[in-house]
């Protein structure tokens, strides 16, 4: 039992000693030793085995494969050692193929993720250093500021105006204030004001903290281990799972029936058992996980080429199906580099006094950093040596104000800057042309000037002040009875070319909705410049009065949401999802975290605050809708190629195995030996492994695509039946026309099965006539090579190993003719199938919200 007192109840000096560190942090050498001792700072415990071994063993985890291995080993001792070795060799080759592909994919993804690693500032050898969060160790001293994620459970050593969002742990809506101090050991989690916890993030202020626990030893780690938290299943993953269950049910029923009937016919039990298991391997798309991993990794590399980094591979599917993109205005639709336009007083005259008040507020601000404060500070430097900062009430997204208390000439002056309406709400007087007057007398003029400036697309803030005498600390309650002084006006013009980009998104079936905290007047002005629908702008105050049902009824028709609060962003996204949209959200600020979590695709940028990057599924290396457009195209290509394997596995492959199962009930011998079935399955895997790099037709990219299990089932039945028809035509020719022997039948059927399954890939990979859609070179070369190897195999020394025999010329001519007829029939059936199944206004996978 651990009797060690909790870290929040230990004095800072004692905890530093206990952890073997100092206020200057760890040395690099000690940090490496600690990392080896405690493991990476991750929520999941690292595997004891090497990743390579784990991945290799995963290729053989299928129950069917394991049973087949057991049966082959049993056959080795009881029946035919040579055949058993061949079966085991094929199984190992197939598993090795999957391993090589998945290993390559995993390595590629790891390299991409390293580009957008979340880092923490830690003191190493006494100097601040940017360290990947997973390399933070107990004893590290970290420096935190607004937007930073807390990299472990920490004790605060020093802080200034720190507020932390702990909703993930405590459920509290409002940020908790944090400061150094000592607390009792039994202090509940929500009241541990001297501690910071992994999984939370700093909203405002700065702090230096000592890391006490990392990874699964943290409070958040204990919760995640207890609940085994996993990311929610995506629509694509759910479809794959249901499709897998469907195939397993079909396979199980078929294999059991085949086994029972063949045993009833008096055939050797072990031979029939091996045959049934090999048939099950052929029926089951066991390479589907590897194919998906390879395709997604290939897609991630392709997207990285257009400056889009995928943090969660499964999000590529949602990226392809996304049909609504919600985005902030600043930096995405506009330049994002604001410029100070003017600082007018109530008369509209540029005022040095207003600028000085705004400058002091921005200069001494230490909480939430923002571009406007940076712009004010850089516009023109003022001498502030006569001013002393006493206290600060950081900006938050509810008050939408920032207050600074400074001392000047023996008096304490509170300076407040923020949204005009929110600043006016705490003012009683105004500094007008005639001096200090009652606010009510000039409020209408102030609001009119604010509206006029906003209508020009300019962003406008209000500035106010209050003399507090000798007061040395302030709180939110002191923001009252203030004097309104004037405005801070900044310009953030629309980006060049953004209108064309919005039109490109619209042509790709993605509608844009602007969600911004700015004034509805500014939002409407910018939207008008960009050609967005501006018939209606819904504000945050209107949202508060609107029920969830009412919002769902209106959310399709509203494209501009202004003056919204962070929780309202999430509410808008949930409403869009409820009415059937796949929603992407693009954000980079502290106030975007909940919306990024709620969206189907959370999109952030590399320059975003830590909490936004961590919440995002996709990170853009450049904050641009243009980059996003290219990412959408790349994501849709990846999605399309992933589904091509499903089409292949459910057409010729499935049809061949189904035909083999059926004919085994009527033949006096097994149509193919177990080793021949496994070889068939292995050879047909090679073309399918190259599908990740296949070219994609334009019509597969221009509209959002969604997984449709009913469509896949219909596809499987249609093309599986066609394959079965030609299989039985092959059986009839071989038995009734050529009176083929057992060896000849198996050899010819093996040829027809593999070649037809390989060649039909070129047909079903596209909706177009196959000769009008050029496959990628590797796919074409691999397909032709597999066909050549299959035809040539019976004429090589390897033929005896697999019990194949050379075939007379008439067999080859007949088999080639059947394959040619099959490919032609598949092409005609494909044309009819899509003409009858798809409506003209939808894509291959019914690309509309469902």
């Amino acid at each position: 039992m651990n009797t060690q007192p909790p870290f929040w109840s230990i004095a800072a000096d004692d905890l530093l000693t206990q952890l073997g560190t100092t206020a200057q942090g760890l040395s690099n050498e000690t940090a490496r030793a600690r990392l080896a001792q405690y493991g990476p700072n991750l929520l999941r415990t690292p595997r004891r085995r090497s990743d390579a071994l784990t991945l290799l063993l995963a290729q053989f985890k299928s129950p069917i494969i394991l049973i087949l291995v057991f049966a082959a080993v049993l056959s080795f001792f009881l029946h035919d050692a040579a055949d058993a070795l061949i079966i085991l060799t094929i199984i190992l080759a197939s598993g090795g193929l999957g391993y090589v592909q998945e290993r390559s994919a995993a390595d590629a993804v790891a390299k991409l993720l390293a580009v957008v690693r979340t880092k923490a500032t830690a003191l190493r050898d006494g100097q601040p250093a940017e360290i990947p969060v997973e390399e933070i160790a107990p004893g590290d001293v970290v420096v935190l500021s607004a937007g930073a994620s807390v990299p472990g459970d920490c004790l605060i050593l020093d802080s200034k105006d720190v507020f932390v969002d702990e909703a993930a742990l405590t459920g509290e809506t409002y940020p908790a204030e944090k400061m150094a101090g000592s607390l009792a050991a039994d202090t509940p989690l929500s009241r541990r004001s001297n501690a910071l916890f992994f999984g939370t993030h700093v909203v405002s202020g700065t702090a230096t903290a000592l890391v006490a626990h990392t990874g699964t030893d943290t409070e958040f780690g204990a919760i995640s281990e207890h609940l085994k938290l996993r990311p929610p299943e995506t629509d694509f993953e759910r479809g794959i799972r249901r499709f897998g269950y469907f195939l397993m049910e079909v396979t199980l029923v078929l294999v059991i029936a085949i086994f029972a009937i063949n045993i009833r016919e008096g055939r050797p039990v072990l031979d029939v058992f091996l045959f049934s298991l090999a048939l099950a391997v052929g029926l089951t798309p066991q390479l589907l996980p590897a194919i998906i991993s390879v395709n997604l990794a290939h897609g991630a590399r392709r997207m990285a080429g257009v400056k889009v980094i995928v943090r969660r591979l499964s999000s590529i599917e949602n990226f392809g199906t996304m049909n609504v993109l919600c985005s902030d205005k600043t930096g995405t639709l506009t330049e994002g580099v604001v410029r100070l336009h003017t600082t007018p007083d109530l008369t509209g005259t540029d005022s040095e006094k207003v600028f000085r008040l705004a400058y002091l507020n921005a200069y001494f601000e230490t909480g939430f950093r923002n571009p406007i404060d940076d712009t004010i500070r850089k516009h023109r430097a003022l001498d502030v040596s006569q001013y002393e900062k006493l206290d600060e009430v950081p900006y938050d997204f509810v008050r939408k104000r920032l207050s600074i208390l400074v001392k000047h000439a023996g008096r304490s002056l509170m300076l407040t800057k923020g949204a005009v309406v929110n600043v006016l709400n705490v003012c009683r007087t105004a500094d007008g042309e005639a001096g200090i007057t009652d606010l009510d007398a000039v409020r209408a003029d102030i609001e009119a000037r604010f509206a006029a400036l906003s209508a020009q697309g300019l962003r406008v803030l209000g500035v106010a002040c209050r003399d507090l005498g000798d007061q040395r600390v302030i709180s939110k309650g002191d923001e009252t009875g203030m004097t309104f002084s004037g405005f801070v006006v900044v310009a953030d013009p629309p980006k060049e070319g953004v209108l064309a980009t919005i039109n490109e998104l619209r042509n790709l079936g993605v509608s844009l909705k602007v969600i911004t905290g700015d004034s509805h007047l500014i939002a409407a002005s910018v939207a008008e410049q960009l050609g967005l629908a501006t018939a209606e702008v819904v504000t945050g105050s209107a949202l508060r009065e609107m029920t969830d049902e009412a919002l769902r009824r209106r959310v399709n028709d509203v494209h501009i949401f202004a003056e919204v609060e962070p929780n309202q962003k999430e509410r808008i996204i949930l409403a869009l999802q409820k009415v059937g949209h796949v929603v992407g959200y693009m954000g980079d600020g502290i106030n975007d975290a909940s919306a990024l979590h709620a969206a189907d695709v959370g999109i952030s940028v590399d320059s975003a605050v830590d909490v936004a990057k961590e919440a995002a599924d996709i990170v853009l290396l450049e904050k641009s809708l243009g980059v996003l457009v290219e990412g959408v195209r790349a994501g849709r290509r990846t999605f399309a190629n992933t589904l091509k394997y499903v089409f292949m596995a459910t057409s010729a492959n499935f049809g061949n195995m189904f035909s083999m199962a059926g004919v085994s009930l009527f033949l006096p011998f097994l149509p193919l030996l177990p080793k021949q079935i496994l070889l068939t399955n292995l050879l047909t895997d090679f073309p399918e492994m190259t599908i990740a790099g296949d070219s994609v037709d334009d019509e597969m990219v221009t509209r959002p695509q969604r997984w449709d299990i009913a469509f896949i089932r219909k596809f499987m039945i249609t093309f599986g039946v066609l394959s079965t028809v030609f299989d039985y035509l092959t059986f009839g020719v071989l038995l009734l026309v050529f009176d083929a022997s057992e060896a000849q039948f198996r050899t010819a059927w093996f040829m027809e099965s593999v070649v037809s399954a390989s060649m039909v890939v070129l047909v079903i990979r596209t909706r177009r006539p196959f000769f009008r859609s050029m496959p990628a070179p590797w796919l074409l070369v691999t397909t032709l090579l597999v066909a050549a190897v299959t035809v040539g195999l019976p004429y090589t020394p390897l033929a005896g190993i697999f019990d194949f025999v050379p075939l007379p010329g008439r067999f080859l001519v007949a088999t080639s003719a059947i394959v040619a007829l099959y490919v032609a029939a598949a092409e005609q059936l494909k044309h009819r199938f899509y003409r009858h199944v798809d409506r003209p206004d939808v894509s291959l996978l019914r690309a509309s919200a469902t």
Side-chain angles (χ1 to χ4, degrees):
M1 180 176 179
N2 184 14
T3 58
Q4 186 75 24
F7 71 90
W8 60 85
S9 66
I10 304 174
D13 290 341
D14 293 339
L15 188 60
L16 285 166
T17 302
Q18 184 177 306
L19 291 172
T21 186
T22 69
Q24 283 70 49
L26 299 172
S27 66
N28 284 313
E29 183 179 351
T30 303
R32 283 192 292 269
R34 294 280 175 91
L35 194 61
Q37 177 184 354
Y38 293 100
N41 184 22
L42 302 170
L43 287 182
R44 293 184 181 178
T45 304
R47 299 180 186 273
R48 293 183 182 274
R49 295 172 294 175
S50 67
D51 290 340
L53 180 60
T54 301
L55 187 59
L56 180 60
L57 294 177
Q59 308 303 315
F60 307 99
K61 66 181 180 182
S62 165
I64 295 175
I65 294 291
L66 295 176
I67 294 172
L68 183 58
V69 170
F70 172 77
V73 172
L74 185 63
S75 176
F76 182 85
F77 292 104
L78 301 179
H79 185 53
D80 187 339
D83 279 3
L85 285 174
I86 293 171
I87 290 173
L88 291 174
T89 300
I90 295 174
I91 292 172
L92 289 173
S94 180
L97 181 63
Y99 165 78
V100 170
Q101 293 286 333
E102 288 204 68
R103 178 73 180 190
S104 173
D107 290 344
V109 171
K111 290 178 182 177
L112 292 177
L113 289 178
V115 176
V116 290
R117 270 172 140 179
T118 302
K119 296 182 178 181
T121 302
L123 300 180
R124 293 283 175 87
D125 292 322
Q127 298 297 320
E130 294 294 313
I131 307 295
V133 167
E134 61 267 27
E135 295 179 13
I136 294 294
D140 262 321
V141 174
V142 293
V143 180
L144 303 169
S145 58
S149 293
V150 179
D153 285 359
C154 311
L155 182 72
I156 294 178
L157 301 179
D158 182 49
S159 67
K160 182 63 178 176
D161 305 316
V162 173
F163 285 80
V164 177
D165 184 345
E166 295 185 327
L169 280 177
T170 65
E172 293 291 335
T173 304
Y174 295 103
E177 187 172 8
K178 299 288 184 174
M179 62 192 73
S182 297
L183 295 172
D186 59 354
T187 304
L189 179 64
S190 60
R191 296 182 183 177
R192 295 172 194 166
S193 58
N194 65 343
L196 304 173
F197 297 99
F198 189 56
T200 66
H201 65 272
V202 180
V203 174
S204 62
T206 58
T208 303
L210 171 63
V211 178
H213 301 299
T214 58
T216 55
D217 293 331
T218 62
E219 293 282 351
F220 200 81
I223 294 173
S224 66
E225 282 292 302
H226 177 68
L227 299 178
K228 299 297 182 185
L229 297 177
R230 293 182 180 179
E233 188 177 47
T234 67
D235 184 58
F236 180 72
E237 291 169 331
R238 186 163 46 252
I240 288 291
R241 176 173 52 78
R242 292 153 98 183
F243 176 63
Y245 287 158
F246 170 70
L247 286 187
M248 285 177 62
E249 291 169 3
V250 172
T251 299
L252 187 62
V253 171
L254 188 61
V255 168
I256 291 175
I258 297 303
F259 179 77
I261 294 173
N262 275 277
I263 291 298
R264 185 179 177 184
E265 294 294 321
R267 292 170 182 169
V269 175
L270 189 57
D271 286 350
V272 173
F273 188 50
L274 283 169
F275 173 76
S276 300
L277 289 175
L279 201 60
V281 172
L283 285 168
T284 305
Q286 75 275 11
L287 279 182
L288 186 57
I291 293 290
I292 291 174
S293 296
V294 171
N295 280 343
L296 294 181
H298 191 278
R301 287 197 298 267
R302 185 188 294 118
M303 292 169 73
V306 292
K307 299 183 179 180
V308 178
I309 303 298
V310 180
R311 294 188 72 245
R312 298 181 181 92
L313 287 183
S314 59
S315 67
I316 291 179
E317 178 272 335
N318 280 342
F319 206 34
T321 62
M322 179 181 73
N323 64 339
V324 173
L325 173 65
C326 298
S327 174
D328 192 4
K329 171 184 67 64
T330 305
T332 304
L333 305 178
T334 62
E335 292 291 348
V337 181
V338 295
R339 295 184 292 276
L340 186 62
H341 185 270
T342 184
T343 52
D345 57 20
L346 271 60
T347 67
T349 305
D350 199 19
S351 167
E352 180 65 20
K353 177 182 178 181
V354 174
F355 175 73
R356 185 173 70 256
L357 295 177
Y359 184 88
L360 290 168
N361 179 280
Y363 182 86
F364 287 114
E365 180 264 332
T366 59
F368 178 70
R369 313 293 289 186
N370 63 84
I372 293 179
D373 284 339
D374 290 339
T375 297
I376 294 172
R377 286 190 292 265
K378 293 175 182 177
H379 179 74
R380 177 161 51 88
L382 295 181
D383 181 9
V384 297
S385 60
Q386 301 301 312
Y387 294 87
E388 176 190 356
K389 180 183 177 182
L390 299 177
D391 202 5
E392 175 177 1
V393 181
Y395 180 92
D396 65 56
F397 296 96
V398 177
R399 292 165 41 252
K400 295 185 178 179
R401 295 185 296 266
L402 163 67
S403 292
I404 302 290
L405 183 66
V406 296
K407 183 179 180 181
H408 177 64
R411 305 289 293 177
S412 295
L413 184 66
M414 185 170 70
L415 313 172
T416 298
K417 179 176 88 279
V420 172
V421 173
N422 298 65
V423 172
L424 283 174
N425 288 341
V426 296
C427 289
R428 184 183 302 145
T429 58
D431 191 356
E433 189 173 6
I436 303 300
T437 60
D438 187 81
L439 179 65
D440 291 339
V442 294
R443 187 173 188 125
D445 293 336
I446 293 172
E447 291 175 345
R449 190 167 302 283
F450 168 57
L453 291 168
S454 298
Q456 299 174 38
L458 298 169
R459 185 168 183 182
V460 186
L461 301 182
V463 179
C465 61
R466 180 187 177 191
D467 190 334
L468 291 179
D470 59 356
Q471 190 170 323
R472 300 190 64 82
V473 294
I474 55 173
S475 65
K476 296 175 184 178
D478 291 307
E479 293 178 336
T480 183
M482 303 192 72
T483 299
F484 189 84
S485 301
F487 306 93
V488 174
V489 183
V490 295
D492 186 14
K495 280 185 177 179
E496 184 178 353
V498 72
L499 180 58
T501 304
I502 292 173
N503 288 331
E504 282 188 77
L505 278 173
R506 190 178 293 118
N507 292 335
L508 288 171
V510 180
S511 63
L512 178 67
K513 294 186 184 293
V514 178
I515 304 178
T516 178
D518 278 352
S519 155
H520 68 283
L521 297 170
I522 300 175
S525 174
V526 173
E528 185 177 358
Q529 295 176 58
L530 298 175
L532 295 176
T534 57
E536 183 177 13
V537 178
V538 172
T539 63
S541 57
L543 281 174
R544 282 194 293 273
E545 303 298 323
M546 201 179 296
T547 65
D548 290 341
E549 184 179 351
L551 178 58
R552 287 196 293 271
R553 286 199 301 266
R554 298 179 62 184
V555 74
N556 277 330
D557 300 321
V558 178
H559 296 275
I560 310 295
F561 296 88
E563 302 170 18
V564 297
E565 299 168 5
N567 63 313
Q568 292 177 328
K569 295 181 180 182
E570 181 179 0
R571 190 176 168 214
I572 294 166
I573 290 169
L574 293 175
L576 286 164
Q577 291 170 332
K578 285 288 186 182
V579 296
H581 295 291
V582 178
V583 185
Y585 180 81
M586 187 170 176
D588 62 355
I590 302 171
N591 59 328
D592 293 316
S594 60
L596 288 166
H597 275 295
D600 296 293
V601 189
I603 306 163
S604 193
V605 292
D606 193 33
S607 58
V609 297
D610 290 346
V611 66
K613 280 206 295 186
E614 288 178 357
D617 302 302
I618 288 170
V619 176
L620 309 183
L621 298 183
E622 179 181 313
K623 191 173 184 180
S624 165
L625 284 183
V627 170
L628 193 62
V629 167
E630 292 306 313
V632 168
R633 290 196 178 103
R636 290 182 183 176
R637 292 188 187 100
T638 301
F639 181 71
N641 280 338
T642 301
L643 290 179
K644 286 180 185 179
Y645 174 77
V646 176
F647 295 150
M648 295 170 186
T650 55
S651 55
N653 289 10
F654 192 84
N656 287 343
M657 295 301 153
F658 192 85
S659 302
M660 198 182 314
V663 79
S664 70
L665 305 179
F666 307 104
L667 289 177
F669 55 87
L670 295 176
L672 282 183
L673 299 175
K675 61 186 176 183
Q676 295 169 341
I677 297 175
L678 294 175
L679 181 62
T680 299
N681 195 48
L682 178 63
L683 288 174
T684 54
D685 283 342
F686 280 98
E688 294 162 356
M689 273 294 188
T690 65
I691 203 68
D694 190 25
S695 56
V696 177
D697 298 335
D698 290 341
E699 57 267 26
M700 292 294 295
V701 178
T702 54
R703 306 300 299 173
Q705 302 173 25
R706 301 195 71 171
W707 174 269
D708 188 343
I709 189 67
F711 179 90
I712 298 297
R713 188 184 297 114
K714 188 175 293 185
F715 187 97
M716 180 183 73
I717 293 172
T718 302
F719 287 87
V721 167
L722 177 69
S723 176
T724 299
V725 167
F726 277 87
D727 290 340
Y728 278 96
L729 174 61
T730 303
F731 299 154
V733 171
L734 294 175
L735 295 173
L736 302 178
V737 177
F738 295 144
D739 192 24
S741 65
E742 286 186 25
Q744 288 177 329
F745 180 92
R746 287 169 177 159
T747 303
W749 166 230
F750 166 77
M751 282 187 182
E752 193 276 341
S753 176
V754 175
V755 174
S756 64
S758 300
M759 298 305 294
V760 82
V761 166
L762 303 179
V763 174
I764 63 178
R765 56 169 290 276
T766 176
R767 288 188 65 183
R768 301 175 182 179
F770 73 91
F771 50 84
R772 291 183 181 173
S773 177
M774 181 59 66
W778 272 112
L779 175 60
L780 181 61
V781 169
T782 307
T783 300
L784 297 177
L785 187 60
V786 166
V789 168
T790 302
V791 173
L793 183 60
Y795 305 93
T796 69
L798 295 175
I801 296 175
F802 293 100
D803 290 342
F804 292 137
V805 296
L807 295 176
R810 66 182 187 278
F811 278 73
L812 296 178
V813 172
T815 303
S816 300
I818 291 171
V819 170
L821 284 173
Y822 170 57
V823 171
E827 180 63 40
Q828 288 300 313
L829 181 64
K830 178 182 71 175
H831 176 71
R832 292 174 179 271
F833 176 80
Y834 287 125
R835 188 176 63 187
H836 286 88
V837 170
D838 283 344
R839 299 191 306 271
D841 61 331
V842 296
S843 70
L844 174 61
L845 296 179
R846 300 175 185 178
S848 63
T850 57

